[in-house]
Every structure is written in structure tokens, then in C-alpha cells.
Amino acid sequence: MSLPKGLAEDVARNLVMVANLIDEDPEQAYAYSKIALRLASRVAAVREAAGFAAYATQKYAEALAEFRAARRMTGSVELWPVMADCERGLGRPERAMAMAGEPEVQKLDKAGQVEMRLVAAGARRDMGQIDAAIVTLQSPELASNSIQPWTPRLRYAYADALLAAGREAEAREWFAKALEADKDGATDASDRLAELDGVEFVDAIDTEDAIDTEDADEADDATDLDDADDTDDASDPDDASDDVDGDKSE
């Protein structure tokens, strides 16, 4: 759907703000998406952006409605995995599992299929089926040595599932593999590895605050000592005067 130039520019500005803020400030991104939605609710890109903004703020029912609207407008299946994840967010993992078995999944590109596998594994875990979740994640993409955009998250999910099943040694191996592939820091695999190895991190900011506090206490103690010395010094002349007066009186 085409929009008048001025309106199109207004919509575009709001969509840019959604994209810029959705990771750092999802609530603000959501606010901009609502503005864009009021301006152009019949534009598929606007409905999709509104869906992702709602998803980022855990408004899963609203997100699902927007994704469905965008899909009706475009006929595309690329939103299928995130729609299934909205079902999980709404406490309906069985619906997410049903979507994982629909023909739409076969129409997804490789990235979409991996995403759908992650969602399906998450749904299995939601239902307490941890072993089934592990099996769901076992795939050619997981076994491949090729590093793709989805590789860190897939390996991480597999490691996390193994750990939940009590398979700690295997989990450590896969957290290490996730970290190896995670050049952009998309996961906290390094922290998980450290936890498994019993390493404790000390917050540098907290340490600096503690040092500053200790320094301040030491400075206060020194000041108190100086004040005490000054008080003693100030009292000495009086004592000397008393002694002199006492001598005279004798």
C-alpha cells in the first residue's frame, strides 16, 4: 500500500526509531510503533514492526495479532517461528508444537527452520519434556562445523538443555562450542562456563566503591586523630598556665 509522501516520511521516522530502540529501550520502541500503527495500520511493515515491539515487551497476545495481520497482508511464512514463540509466551506450548509440524515450516529458509527448531525445543521444555527437547535440537545444523548466524544460539540452547538434564560434562562442552562461535556476544556462554568451573566474578564497580569507602573511612579516622591532637595541644597552654599560677601562689 502506498502512502502520501508526507505521511510516508512520518511513518518511516517512527519505524526507524522502533528499529533503533527495540534492543536498548523496548518500551520506548513500543511507543513509537503505536504511533506508526495509528498512521498506517494497513501497511504490512508497520504491523510487523508493531508485532516485534510488542513481542520485545512481552505483550504476546498483541504481538501475535500483529504478526497474523502482517502475514495475511503478505502471505509470507517468515514470521511463523516468532508466532509460535508467542504461543509459548501465552502459556500454550502445545500450540507451538502443533505449529512446528505444519507445512509452513517446510517453506521457511534455513534460518527460519533453525529458529522453529529452537522454539519447538523450548516448547518441549515448557511441558517438562527435557529429553525430547534435547532430541529436537539434535540436527545437521548443530553438528556442522560451519559457523552461521544461528550457530551460537543453537549450541547454547543445546548446552542449556543438557545441563537441565544433569549432563554437566556435555553441557560444558557445548557451552564452550557456543562461545567459540559467538563473536558478537549474543549469548552469555562465557558466564555459564565460568559458573560450571566455579569461577566467581567480582564487579569492578562494586570493588571500586568498596575501596573508595575504605579510603574515606581511613581519611575520617585520620581527621579524628588530628582533631584529637589539636585538642590536646590546645589544652596544654592552659595546663602550663595553671602550673605557673600555682608556682606563684606558693
Side-chain angles (χ1 to χ4, degrees), residues 189-210:
S190 61
D191 293 341
R192 301 298 297 276
L193 272 174
E195 289 175 7
L196 288 173
D197 291 339
V199 177
E200 294 185 6
F201 293 101
V202 177
D203 194 317
I205 295 177
D206 292 341
T207 303
E208 290 175 1
D209 290 343

Side-chain angles (χ1 to χ4, degrees), residues 218-233:
E218 290 176 1
D220 289 341
D221 291 341
T223 300
D224 291 341
L225 289 173
D226 290 341
D227 291 343
D229 290 342
D230 292 342
T231 302
D232 291 340
D233 292 341

Side-chain angles (χ1 to χ4, degrees), residues 119-186:
V119 173
R124 289 290 189 191
R125 292 189 63 173
D126 293 342
M127 294 186 287
Q129 301 172 4
I130 186 61
D131 290 335
I134 291 172
V135 172
T136 298
L137 293 167
Q138 292 171 344
S139 61
E141 294 80 18
L142 180 67
S144 175
N145 291 324
S146 174
I147 305 300
Q148 303 295 332
W150 61 76
T151 302
R153 292 178 57 241
L154 182 59
R155 292 178 178 180
Y156 183 95
Y158 188 59
D160 194 46
L162 289 169
L163 188 60
R167 296 159 62 175
E168 186 172 310
E170 293 173 86
R172 192 196 182 288
E173 176 187 354
W174 281 96
F175 276 128
K177 289 182 178 181
L179 179 59
E180 180 184 1
D182 191 3
K183 305 303 182 185
D184 299 324

Side-chain angles (χ1 to χ4, degrees), residues 79-142:
L79 294 173
W80 197 254
V82 71
M83 289 169 62
D85 206 39
C86 285
E87 295 287 5
R88 285 187 61 213
L90 290 168
R92 302 190 295 236
E94 68 286 350
R95 292 194 186 183
M97 284 304 307
M99 291 179 68
E102 293 292 332
E104 282 82 356
V105 176
Q106 302 305 316
K107 300 176 185 178
L108 293 168
D109 61 13
K110 181 62 67 176
Q113 290 180 6
V114 170
E115 194 65 36
M116 192 70 241
R117 189 177 293 276
L118 288 167
V119 173
R124 289 290 189 191
R125 292 189 63 173
D126 293 342
M127 294 186 287
Q129 301 172 4
I130 186 61
D131 290 335
I134 291 172
V135 172
T136 298
L137 293 167
Q138 292 171 344
S139 61
E141 294 80 18
L142 180 67

Side-chain angles (χ1 to χ4, degrees), residues 30 47-70 79 82-83 85-87 90:
Y30 176 75
R47 303 302 290 266
E48 182 175 331
F52 278 111
Y55 179 81
T57 54
Q58 300 183 2
K59 298 176 177 66
Y60 296 117
E62 186 176 338
L64 185 57
E66 297 300 340
F67 290 142
R68 284 173 173 168
L79 294 173
V82 71
M83 289 169 62
D85 206 39
C86 285
E87 295 287 5
L90 290 168

